[in-house]
Amino acid sequence: LYGFSLDEISCEKTNPTNQKLSNLYGYRTHNGYVKCLSISDDGKLLVTGGVDELIKIYNLERNKEVGDLQQHSGAVTSLKFVKNSHLLSGSEDRTICIWRVSNWTLMHVLGGHKGTVNCISVHPSNKLAMSISSDRTLRLWNLIEGRIAYIKRLQGCGEIVKWSEQGNYFAAVVNDNLIIFDASSNENPTNVKFPTKISCMCWLSDFALVAVFKNTHLKILKFNGENLATEDISNVCGQRIREILFCKSGDANFFVASTSDGKILVWKVFIELLSKEKFERFDQIFTLIAVNIVQGQPRFTCLEAHFYKKSENVISSAKVENEEKEKNEPIKSESRKNNEKLKKEKMNGKNEKKVFANKKNKLAVKRQKRK
């Protein structure tokens, strides 16, 4: 498991400065390779799943392992947080487990798939989840009631499923086919045929997504299947792209990729330019800002990111509070002195009461002896 840190960067396109992606940690976690991982919405927890059938839990604030979950009887293939309260885990044992994060108890086991659960995706409302399996089915789950809501038969082994940013669309990968569904109807999906098998995909917004094929080729598509751009980035990434993701940090948008030869690459994405029907060059939308090559060139298998951004409003309000604290320091010191005096007086009163009570007890003992 490797951790990286990227400093806060400018969102301006006119000043695309290169950033250093520094290593935070790197250590062995599972007995066997890691198949999936997920980070909670607040960025405090990280979970990993491996071929050893375990789910390991990490505290990102301390960069420390805090425990593990044992329930699945097969390799853990997919992990997704539902807000910060629940965790979904899919496995080769054909089940999906729902865990409560507060005490890590198993709440429910969703059964129905007849093959490996390859991927899980949670709807932005956090009320629904989609799962895709090697049994050639796509299943929609009602997370509130813990039951199946919809089953879609596929023409092949399903490998990836992901909701769009606002949940109006979802896309599924079946071998070399990318199938885009309208969530309002689920009928007449758009099928985009690729020349080779699709290795990974992600949504860039609610109207555009990107898929990787031929190991290093990116294809950007609209939700209706229209091709916006195709780019070969082998000169940058070198080997096969293993995983990609898109995430936001305030007003900035980032596209991250990991490769099979130990590279992590980060681009800034100017998403507003995607509204154009066509653009001449790939670098008009994507600006490479950071590259990290890990020693030993490990073969990355999965990828997750969480960006923290401090807004100027928070910083300015902190400054105002500090100024007010400095002004009120003498007032606070006087009030503290008064409070200390009151505490001393109370303690003295308590001591006097104790002495008086002791005298009473002694007199009562003397009277009993006389009797």
Side-chain angles (χ1 to χ4, degrees):
L1 178 66
Y2 293 89
F4 304 92
S5 174
L6 181 69
D7 295 335
E8 190 173 342
I9 50 182
S10 173
C11 302
E12 298 177 3
K13 186 171 175 57
T14 55
N15 185 24
T17 57
N18 289 331
Q19 291 293 123
K20 184 179 179 182
L21 196 63
S22 56
N23 291 34
L24 287 177
Y25 51 82
Y27 49 90
R28 189 177 181 85
T29 55
H30 291 267
N31 293 324
Y33 68 90
V34 183
K35 297 206 71 168
C36 56
L37 68 157
S38 182
I39 299 176
S40 59
D41 289 350
D42 57 9
K44 294 180 179 179
L45 292 173
L46 172 113
V47 289
T48 61
V51 296
D52 56 1
E53 304 176 0
L54 294 177
I55 300 170
K56 296 205 171 186
I57 310 163
Y58 300 88
N59 186 320
L60 290 181
E61 292 179 325
R62 294 182 291 168
N63 290 337
K64 185 179 179 182
E65 181 182 344
V66 294
D68 58 63
L69 305 174
Q70 301 179 25
Q71 171 64 27
H72 291 291
S73 58
V76 181
T77 54
S78 185
L79 292 167
K80 289 296 174 186
F81 275 100
V82 183
K83 288 188 175 179
N84 300 311
S85 59
H86 295 85
L87 173 71
L88 302 181
S89 62
S91 171
E92 288 181 352
D93 64 6
R94 311 177 215 177
T95 64
I96 298 171
C97 293
I98 304 177
W99 306 85
R100 183 186 286 117
V101 172
S102 59
N103 53 10
W104 294 111
T105 56
L106 179 63
M107 293 184 62
H108 198 61
V109 178
L110 302 175
H113 279 297
K114 297 179 181 179
T116 300
V117 179
N118 288 325
C119 186
I120 299 172
S121 182
V122 178
H123 190 269
S125 66
N126 294 300
K127 296 178 181 179
L128 301 170
M130 193 78 73
S131 63
I132 199 166
S133 170
S134 59
D135 63 1
R136 299 189 174 191
T137 63
L138 185 69
R139 293 173 184 255
L140 179 67
W141 302 93
N142 185 327
L143 296 180
I144 296 175
E145 299 178 7
R147 62 176 180 84
I148 189 71
Y150 173 78
I151 301 175
K152 176 72 176 177
R153 304 290 174 182
L154 303 172
Q155 298 299 317
C157 174
E159 297 175 359
I160 305 171
V161 62
K162 290 188 179 178
W163 289 97
S164 63
E165 183 182 13
Q166 298 177 9
N168 294 323
Y169 304 93
F170 62 91
V173 173
V174 181
N175 295 324
D176 56 354
N177 292 291
L178 178 64
I179 310 170
I180 305 171
F181 296 85
D182 187 337
S184 60
S185 63
N186 289 333
E187 296 178 0
N188 300 321
T190 303
N191 192 350
V192 182
K193 182 83 172 175
F194 280 70
T196 61
K197 183 179 177 180
I198 301 168
S199 56
C200 49
M201 60 83 63
C202 71
W203 287 88
L204 298 175
S205 65
D206 205 52
F207 58 85
L209 70 162
V210 59
V212 178
F213 67 102
K214 286 185 179 179
N215 296 334
T216 59
H217 288 67
L218 300 179
K219 184 183 283 291
I220 304 172
L221 301 165
K222 276 190 173 182
F223 66 91
N224 58 5
E226 181 185 347
N227 185 26
L228 293 176
T230 303
E231 185 79 8
D232 180 10
I233 59 170
S234 58
N235 60 331
V236 177
C237 64
Q239 298 295 320
R240 177 187 174 192
I241 298 174
R242 293 287 300 176
E243 188 61 270
I244 58 173
L245 62 86
F246 176 79
C247 53
K248 291 187 174 183
S249 176
D251 297 330
N253 303 296
F254 299 94
F255 179 74
V256 189
S258 62
T259 69
S260 59
D261 61 346
K263 279 185 183 178
I264 300 291
L265 304 101
V266 183
W267 288 264
K268 275 196 297 184
V269 183
F270 299 93
I271 204 74
E272 65 279 359
L273 299 178
L274 281 174
S275 58
K276 296 181 179 180
E277 294 184 0
K278 292 283 183 181
F279 45 88
E280 295 178 359
R281 298 192 318 276
F282 176 81
D283 57 9
Q284 288 179 318
I285 308 296
F286 293 79
T287 301
L288 186 66
I289 59 171
V291 179
N292 187 300
I293 304 174
V294 180
Q295 290 183 357
Q297 296 184 343
R299 180 174 172 263
F300 289 125
T301 55
C302 48
L303 178 69
E304 191 62 85
H306 184 86
F307 280 88
Y308 304 87
K309 183 175 176 62
K310 295 180 180 179
S311 63
E312 293 180 0
N313 294 331
V314 174
I315 296 170
S316 62
S317 64
K319 288 180 179 178
V320 171
E321 288 175 1
N322 289 333
E323 289 174 0
E324 289 179 353
K325 284 180 182 178
E326 290 174 0
K327 290 178 182 177
N328 295 330
E329 274 182 358
I331 298 171
K332 284 186 178 179
S333 60
E334 288 178 5
S335 63
R336 283 175 186 168
K337 288 180 182 178
N338 294 331
N339 288 334
E340 288 176 0
K341 285 182 181 179
L342 289 171
K343 284 181 181 178
K344 286 181 180 178
E345 289 174 0
K346 286 180 181 179
M347 290 299 293
N348 292 332
K350 286 180 181 179
N351 292 332
E352 287 175 2
K353 286 178 182 178
K354 285 181 181 178
V355 172
F356 185 71
N358 289 333
K359 285 181 179 179
K360 277 187 175 181
N361 291 333
K362 287 180 181 179
L363 289 171
V365 170
K366 285 180 180 180
R367 284 173 186 169
Q368 286 179 358
K369 285 182 178 179
R370 286 175 186 174
K371 286 181 182 179

